[in-house]
Amino acid sequence: MKAIAYQKFGNTEVLQTVEEIKPSIQSNQVLVKVKAVSINPMDWKIRKGEMKLMSGSKFPKHIGVDFSGIIEDPGTSHFKKGDAVFGVVKNNMKEGALAEYVAVPSSLVWKKPAPLSFSEAASIPIVGIAAVTALHKMGEINPQTKILVNGATGGFGMFLLQLLKQKDAHITAVTSTKGLEYAQKWGANSVIDYTKVNVLTQATTYDIIIDLSGKMGYANAKRIMKPKSLFLNPVPQPIDIPVSLIKNLFRGKKHVVILSSPSSKIMDLLLSAIDNGLQIEVNKVFPFEQAVEAYQYAEKGGFVSKVAIEIN
């Protein structure tokens, strides 16, 4: 089978199309013929060596975490050959989904909602799971809860804004000019164009700030946080985890790190939200033969929602 792999850390030029043996499944796994893979920032952070403490430095490495496709071999699972599914690889630091076939635990695979395309379904797991985790970290939310979502119209924001809307939260979204329309469509009560307004200079303060862009930071966010409030950090540095836990004991403005992992409970909530009208947008779809171009496009940024790669 064809797969995308790399033999050293680096930019997109290290990505290569290689021929590999089609994987065989273990007792708890299913074999999926991959139809689409979505791109996440984690992909290139691992590839560039920014996470080598967790990923290790053994090569070749593969790329891509969440995928959709058709069950080729259901093994002993409840799936049937031919079922349309989506899922996530077990170890995103070591494995990759960007290949013609992938063997994964059946517990990390779910039936694809019929109305969704394969690219849309492949866009669910990583950002959807992170958005639900963030929602849980926020605690009790009501229409008086003032929430600021910074960097609001990427894949994570697409899910989070709509989940918050279903909770009737009061949402302010910070995004680019091209993202304003999407932020409003996905549920923001008010929008701020960061190319024209610096949210940190505004008089409004918030109960919850979530920094999806990773560019604001807790030190800056404190200026617009209420005395008792939360700053949610989905892109923490390793040091943030122990430091925030200790310092939160002594401060009203809490710095909360978001670490997410897939579970059937979270996925049930996501699939219910999709049934209730949560929309998934895919900004651009590339063919497998243009995987390098897809990553170049995604890493440049400046687009709304998700980017996917389709495999015929």
Side-chain angles (χ1 to χ4, degrees):
M1 69 169 188
K2 286 185 170 60
I4 304 295
Y6 54 102
Q7 296 285 351
K8 61 181 179 180
F9 293 123
N11 292 319
T12 53
E13 67 269 10
V14 302
L15 295 174
Q16 299 174 317
T17 303
V18 297
E19 287 286 345
E20 295 185 341
I21 297 170
K22 184 172 157 183
S24 54
I25 61 171
Q26 297 172 1
S27 59
N28 66 335
Q29 292 184 319
V30 293
L31 183 68
V32 179
K33 182 175 173 58
V34 180
K35 299 290 286 182
V37 172
S38 78
I39 293 178
N40 297 288
M42 186 188 303
D43 296 350
W44 62 79
K45 288 181 179 180
I46 295 169
R47 191 200 66 228
K48 289 179 177 180
E50 294 174 17
M51 304 177 81
K52 66 175 70 171
L53 279 177
M54 291 173 280
S55 72
S57 300
K58 186 179 177 182
F59 296 97
K61 290 189 182 299
H62 296 81
I63 199 162
V65 180
D66 36 20
F67 63 87
S68 63
I70 304 290
I71 294 287
E72 179 84 2
D73 184 348
T76 58
S77 73
H78 64 282
F79 294 107
K80 302 189 300 292
K81 181 177 170 68
D83 281 348
V85 297
F86 69 100
V88 60
V89 297
K90 184 178 181 181
N91 186 341
N92 53 36
M93 296 290 168
K94 310 281 185 183
E95 304 170 83
L98 194 46
E100 290 182 300
Y101 294 90
V102 63
V104 290
S106 58
S107 60
L108 297 179
V109 177
W110 298 271
K111 283 272 188 79
K112 180 180 81 66
L116 298 187
S117 70
F118 282 105
S119 289
E120 289 165 347
S123 299
I124 296 172
I126 291 296
V127 291
I129 289 162
V132 172
T133 305
L135 198 67
H136 290 162
K137 291 283 189 183
M138 291 179 184
E140 288 295 319
I141 294 170
N142 59 56
Q144 283 69 52
T145 308
K146 298 187 75 171
I147 301 173
L148 180 77
V149 182
N150 190 50
T153 53
F156 194 147
M158 171 176 66
F159 278 88
L160 184 60
L161 292 181
Q162 294 179 81
L163 290 169
L164 286 169
K165 184 182 182 182
Q166 292 182 0
K167 292 275 190 181
D168 290 328
H170 188 279
I171 313 157
T172 299
V174 181
T175 185
S176 64
T177 307
K178 67 177 73 172
L180 297 177
E181 179 186 340
Y182 287 91
Q184 289 171 320
K185 180 174 78 168
W186 293 336
N189 300 87
S190 59
V191 292
I192 295 173
D193 183 342
Y194 70 76
T195 67
K196 298 175 181 174
V197 176
N198 181 355
V199 67
L200 295 172
T201 64
Q202 305 300 292
T204 307
T205 55
Y206 299 90
D207 298 290
I208 300 169
I209 295 176
I210 181 164
D211 183 20
L212 303 184
S213 72
K215 294 177 180 175
M216 177 183 284
Y218 173 75
N220 291 317
K222 284 191 294 184
R223 291 152 57 182
I224 53 170
M225 291 170 69
K226 292 184 179 180
K228 291 193 174 181
S229 54
L230 298 178
F231 174 80
L232 300 187
N233 181 1
V235 284
Q237 298 296 320
I239 191 66
D240 291 333
I241 300 168
V243 169
S244 64
L245 285 171
I246 295 165
K247 289 190 174 182
N248 283 346
L249 297 171
F250 310 101
R251 60 191 178 192
K253 300 178 181 183
K254 310 291 189 188
H255 179 180
V256 179
V257 168
I258 298 173
L259 300 172
S260 56
S261 58
S263 72
S264 56
K265 185 177 179 182
I266 288 178
M267 194 54 68
D268 286 346
L269 193 153
L270 275 174
L271 291 172
S272 175
I274 291 166
D275 286 342
N276 289 329
L278 187 147
Q279 299 175 335
I280 300 171
E281 308 258 356
V282 179
N283 174 271
K284 194 165 183 177
V285 178
F286 289 81
F288 181 78
E289 294 74 22
Q290 292 179 18
V292 172
E293 289 88 341
Y295 274 100
Q296 288 169 344
Y297 178 83
E299 290 173 44
K300 200 179 293 179
F303 60 87
V304 169
S305 68
K306 293 279 286 183
V307 175
I309 299 168
E310 286 187 349
I311 304 170
N312 292 323

